[in-house]
Short mmCIF file of all heavy atoms in Angstrom, two decimals:
data_model
loop_
_atom_site.label_atom_id
_atom_site.label_comp_id
_atom_site.label_asym_id
_atom_site.label_seq_id
_atom_site.Cartn_x
_atom_site.Cartn_y
_atom_site.Cartn_z
N VAL A 78 106.58 9.44 -90.45
CA VAL A 78 107.33 10.34 -91.33
C VAL A 78 107.68 9.69 -92.66
O VAL A 78 107.52 10.30 -93.72
CB VAL A 78 108.63 10.81 -90.63
CG1 VAL A 78 109.42 11.76 -91.53
CG2 VAL A 78 108.31 11.47 -89.30
N TYR A 79 108.13 8.44 -92.63
CA TYR A 79 108.68 7.79 -93.82
C TYR A 79 107.84 6.58 -94.21
O TYR A 79 107.15 5.98 -93.37
CB TYR A 79 110.12 7.34 -93.55
CG TYR A 79 111.01 8.44 -93.06
CD1 TYR A 79 111.43 8.46 -91.74
CD2 TYR A 79 111.46 9.44 -93.92
CE1 TYR A 79 112.27 9.47 -91.28
CE2 TYR A 79 112.29 10.45 -93.48
CZ TYR A 79 112.70 10.47 -92.15
OH TYR A 79 113.52 11.46 -91.70
N PRO A 80 107.90 6.17 -95.48
CA PRO A 80 107.29 4.90 -95.87
C PRO A 80 107.94 3.77 -95.07
O PRO A 80 109.17 3.69 -94.98
CB PRO A 80 107.62 4.79 -97.37
CG PRO A 80 107.89 6.18 -97.80
CD PRO A 80 108.51 6.88 -96.62
N PHE A 81 107.12 2.91 -94.49
CA PHE A 81 107.66 1.88 -93.59
C PHE A 81 106.63 0.76 -93.48
O PHE A 81 105.43 1.00 -93.60
CB PHE A 81 107.92 2.50 -92.21
CG PHE A 81 108.86 1.71 -91.35
CD1 PHE A 81 110.23 1.71 -91.59
CD2 PHE A 81 108.37 0.96 -90.28
CE1 PHE A 81 111.09 0.98 -90.78
CE2 PHE A 81 109.22 0.24 -89.48
CZ PHE A 81 110.59 0.24 -89.73
N PRO A 82 107.06 -0.48 -93.24
CA PRO A 82 106.09 -1.56 -93.04
C PRO A 82 105.15 -1.27 -91.87
O PRO A 82 105.52 -0.57 -90.92
CB PRO A 82 106.99 -2.77 -92.74
CG PRO A 82 108.30 -2.44 -93.35
CD PRO A 82 108.46 -0.96 -93.21
N LYS A 83 103.95 -1.83 -91.94
CA LYS A 83 102.96 -1.65 -90.89
C LYS A 83 102.87 -2.92 -90.04
O LYS A 83 102.91 -4.04 -90.57
CB LYS A 83 101.60 -1.31 -91.47
CG LYS A 83 101.57 0.01 -92.22
CD LYS A 83 100.19 0.31 -92.79
CE LYS A 83 100.17 1.65 -93.51
NZ LYS A 83 98.83 1.98 -94.07
N PHE A 84 102.74 -2.74 -88.73
CA PHE A 84 102.68 -3.87 -87.81
C PHE A 84 101.36 -3.86 -87.05
O PHE A 84 100.72 -2.82 -86.88
CB PHE A 84 103.84 -3.79 -86.81
CG PHE A 84 105.20 -3.88 -87.43
CD1 PHE A 84 105.91 -2.74 -87.77
CD2 PHE A 84 105.78 -5.12 -87.68
CE1 PHE A 84 107.16 -2.82 -88.35
CE2 PHE A 84 107.04 -5.21 -88.26
CZ PHE A 84 107.73 -4.05 -88.59
N THR A 85 100.95 -5.05 -86.61
CA THR A 85 99.78 -5.21 -85.75
C THR A 85 100.20 -5.97 -84.51
O THR A 85 100.89 -6.99 -84.61
CB THR A 85 98.66 -5.97 -86.48
OG1 THR A 85 98.23 -5.21 -87.62
CG2 THR A 85 97.47 -6.21 -85.56
N MET A 86 99.78 -5.49 -83.32
CA MET A 86 100.21 -6.13 -82.08
C MET A 86 99.25 -5.76 -80.95
O MET A 86 98.74 -4.65 -80.89
CB MET A 86 101.63 -5.70 -81.73
CG MET A 86 101.81 -4.22 -81.48
SD MET A 86 103.53 -3.67 -81.55
CE MET A 86 103.69 -3.42 -83.33
N GLY A 87 98.99 -6.73 -80.08
CA GLY A 87 98.17 -6.47 -78.91
C GLY A 87 98.98 -5.81 -77.82
O GLY A 87 100.18 -6.09 -77.66
N GLN A 88 98.33 -4.97 -77.04
CA GLN A 88 99.05 -4.21 -76.01
C GLN A 88 98.11 -3.90 -74.84
O GLN A 88 96.91 -3.71 -75.03
CB GLN A 88 99.60 -2.91 -76.61
CG GLN A 88 100.46 -2.09 -75.68
CD GLN A 88 101.16 -0.96 -76.43
OE1 GLN A 88 101.43 -1.05 -77.63
NE2 GLN A 88 101.47 0.12 -75.73
N THR A 89 98.65 -3.85 -73.64
CA THR A 89 97.89 -3.43 -72.46
C THR A 89 98.78 -2.53 -71.62
O THR A 89 99.88 -2.92 -71.23
CB THR A 89 97.41 -4.62 -71.62
OG1 THR A 89 96.62 -5.49 -72.43
CG2 THR A 89 96.58 -4.15 -70.44
N ASN A 90 98.28 -1.32 -71.33
CA ASN A 90 99.00 -0.36 -70.49
C ASN A 90 98.36 -0.30 -69.11
O ASN A 90 97.14 -0.38 -68.97
CB ASN A 90 98.97 1.04 -71.11
CG ASN A 90 99.72 1.11 -72.43
OD1 ASN A 90 100.61 0.31 -72.69
ND2 ASN A 90 99.37 2.08 -73.26
N TYR A 91 99.20 -0.08 -68.10
CA TYR A 91 98.74 0.11 -66.72
C TYR A 91 99.22 1.48 -66.28
O TYR A 91 100.42 1.74 -66.20
CB TYR A 91 99.32 -0.98 -65.82
CG TYR A 91 98.84 -2.37 -66.16
CD1 TYR A 91 99.46 -3.11 -67.18
CD2 TYR A 91 97.78 -2.96 -65.48
CE1 TYR A 91 99.02 -4.39 -67.50
CE2 TYR A 91 97.34 -4.24 -65.79
CZ TYR A 91 97.96 -4.94 -66.80
OH TYR A 91 97.53 -6.23 -67.13
N ARG A 92 98.27 2.39 -65.99
CA ARG A 92 98.67 3.77 -65.72
C ARG A 92 97.92 4.36 -64.53
O ARG A 92 96.74 4.06 -64.29
CB ARG A 92 98.45 4.63 -66.97
CG ARG A 92 96.99 4.83 -67.36
CD ARG A 92 96.88 5.48 -68.73
NE ARG A 92 95.55 6.03 -68.96
CZ ARG A 92 95.15 6.52 -70.13
NH1 ARG A 92 95.97 6.52 -71.18
NH2 ARG A 92 93.94 7.04 -70.27
N ILE A 93 98.62 5.22 -63.79
CA ILE A 93 98.09 5.90 -62.62
C ILE A 93 98.04 7.40 -62.93
O ILE A 93 98.97 7.95 -63.53
CB ILE A 93 99.00 5.64 -61.40
CG1 ILE A 93 99.10 4.14 -61.10
CG2 ILE A 93 98.48 6.39 -60.17
CD1 ILE A 93 100.23 3.78 -60.15
N TYR A 94 96.99 8.07 -62.51
CA TYR A 94 96.82 9.49 -62.79
C TYR A 94 97.52 10.31 -61.71
O TYR A 94 97.23 10.18 -60.52
CB TYR A 94 95.34 9.84 -62.89
CG TYR A 94 94.67 9.11 -64.03
CD1 TYR A 94 94.17 7.82 -63.86
CD2 TYR A 94 94.58 9.68 -65.29
CE1 TYR A 94 93.59 7.13 -64.91
CE2 TYR A 94 93.99 9.01 -66.35
CZ TYR A 94 93.51 7.73 -66.15
OH TYR A 94 92.94 7.03 -67.20
N VAL A 95 98.44 11.16 -62.15
CA VAL A 95 99.31 11.89 -61.21
C VAL A 95 99.44 13.35 -61.66
O VAL A 95 99.03 13.74 -62.75
CB VAL A 95 100.71 11.25 -61.12
CG1 VAL A 95 100.62 9.83 -60.58
CG2 VAL A 95 101.41 11.26 -62.49
#
Side-chain angles (χ1 to χ4, degrees):
V78 180
Y79 306 107
F81 199 75
K83 296 180 179 180
F84 298 94
T85 297
M86 61 197 85
Q88 185 170 332
T89 303
N90 295 336
Y91 296 83
R92 68 190 197 188
I93 301 166
Y94 298 86
V95 298

